[in-house]
Amino acid sequence: RGIDGWKDAGLEVSTQARVPEPVLYQAASDSTQLHKLIDGDFVYKRLGDPLYQIIDVRSKAEYIGEKGTKGLRGELLKLGHIPTAVNINYENNWTDAESKSFKSYAGLQELYRGLDSAKGVIVYCNSGRRSAFSYFVLRLMGFENVFTYEPSWKEWGLPEKYYPVETLENRLTGKALPEPGQRTLSVQKVQKSSGQKPLSGKPSGGYVSCGG
């Protein structure tokens, strides 16, 4: 909730300008987890792997291919999402769009009902910005093996890439709340009445030009 949340919590504020002093910082080698930054080949090799779960945190319109995006060179990217991925919009982590305050832990458990925190979780969006937020939320919830697919759809959706895509909606059907050590994942395909949308071409919702 930004500065408003800070003030409401009764924390100290200042009106004095502060000049930062330069410092030499080096992350400890044993705390750097470069393996958490993954690429498309990593994701591709784990499609259908029961030990991994994939979350698409974009809007539903992007997820099912109703709204497209463009690549860094301006080319139209493929429509749809990574096969087996479920859609949990990163905005759903908020209580409301204005304050962007986090839901309670119980509310977040309900949002992610059916995910297994004992398994690996791969999060992605369009360019890694939105999924970074979802990565942070999942780590706060106690998920240990969370992986950020930073290139996201900017890589997976490139026309020259042979990565598979789908437009059918996947839903989590598990009933258990995500708790460490439980195995709860269950995914169901949802067939749209209008049939599967094309994987390329002009989407009905237009194209998104945001950075995330």
Side-chain angles (χ1 to χ4, degrees):
R1 296 183 51 225
I3 189 64
D4 294 330
W6 182 271
K7 291 178 178 179
D8 290 346
L11 300 172
E12 184 179 356
V13 297
S14 174
T15 59
Q16 301 297 318
R18 183 181 179 209
V19 180
E21 298 181 359
V23 297
L24 177 63
Y25 172 78
Q26 183 173 346
S29 59
D30 58 352
S31 65
T32 303
Q33 302 184 59
L34 295 179
H35 68 283
K36 292 295 185 70
L37 290 172
I38 59 177
D39 58 15
D41 289 341
F42 180 97
V43 179
Y44 178 76
K45 293 175 181 177
R46 284 157 182 81
L47 293 182
D49 189 328
L51 297 181
Y52 285 85
Q53 306 149 107
I54 305 176
I55 302 178
D56 184 321
V57 310
R58 300 175 298 169
S59 67
K60 184 175 180 179
E62 294 170 90
Y63 172 76
I64 62 177
E66 288 184 349
K67 184 171 290 186
T69 55
K70 295 182 179 181
L72 297 176
R73 302 186 301 269
E75 70 274 47
L76 302 182
L77 301 179
K78 290 181 284 188
L79 304 177
H81 56 267
I82 296 176
T84 74
V86 297
N87 181 220
I88 303 178
N89 191 325
Y90 85 112
E91 294 181 348
N92 293 342
N93 294 290
W94 308 336
T95 57
D96 61 88
E98 182 177 356
S99 70
K100 297 181 175 63
S101 58
F102 285 100
K103 289 181 177 179
S104 66
Y105 181 70
L108 292 173
Q109 280 187 305
E110 189 63 39
L111 176 63
Y112 292 98
R113 179 185 289 271
L115 281 181
D116 186 351
S117 52
K119 300 179 181 180
V121 182
I122 297 171
V123 292
Y124 78 94
C125 57
N126 188 47
S127 67
R129 178 178 59 86
R130 288 175 281 183
S131 58
F133 182 84
S134 295
Y135 172 91
F136 178 64
V137 171
L138 290 169
R139 295 291 286 113
L140 284 179
M141 292 179 65
F143 284 74
E144 294 292 337
N145 298 315
V146 187
F147 298 84
T148 302
Y149 177 27
E150 186 177 9
S152 289
W153 205 251
K154 293 292 189 196
E155 177 185 47
W156 194 275
L158 286 172
E160 65 266 25
K161 294 287 186 180
Y162 290 95
Y163 295 138
V165 302
E166 65 179 4
T167 56
L168 295 179
E169 183 180 1
N170 301 312
R171 291 180 180 173
L172 291 170
T173 59
K175 301 302 182 182
L177 297 175
E179 294 282 359
Q182 293 186 358
R183 298 186 176 275
T184 61
L185 180 68
S186 181
V187 177
Q188 174 188 27
K189 298 282 186 185
V190 179
Q191 176 71 51
K192 297 177 70 66
S193 59
S194 58
Q196 184 162 327
K197 295 180 177 298
L199 300 183
S200 61
K202 184 177 181 181
S204 59
Y207 282 89
V208 177
S209 60
C210 68

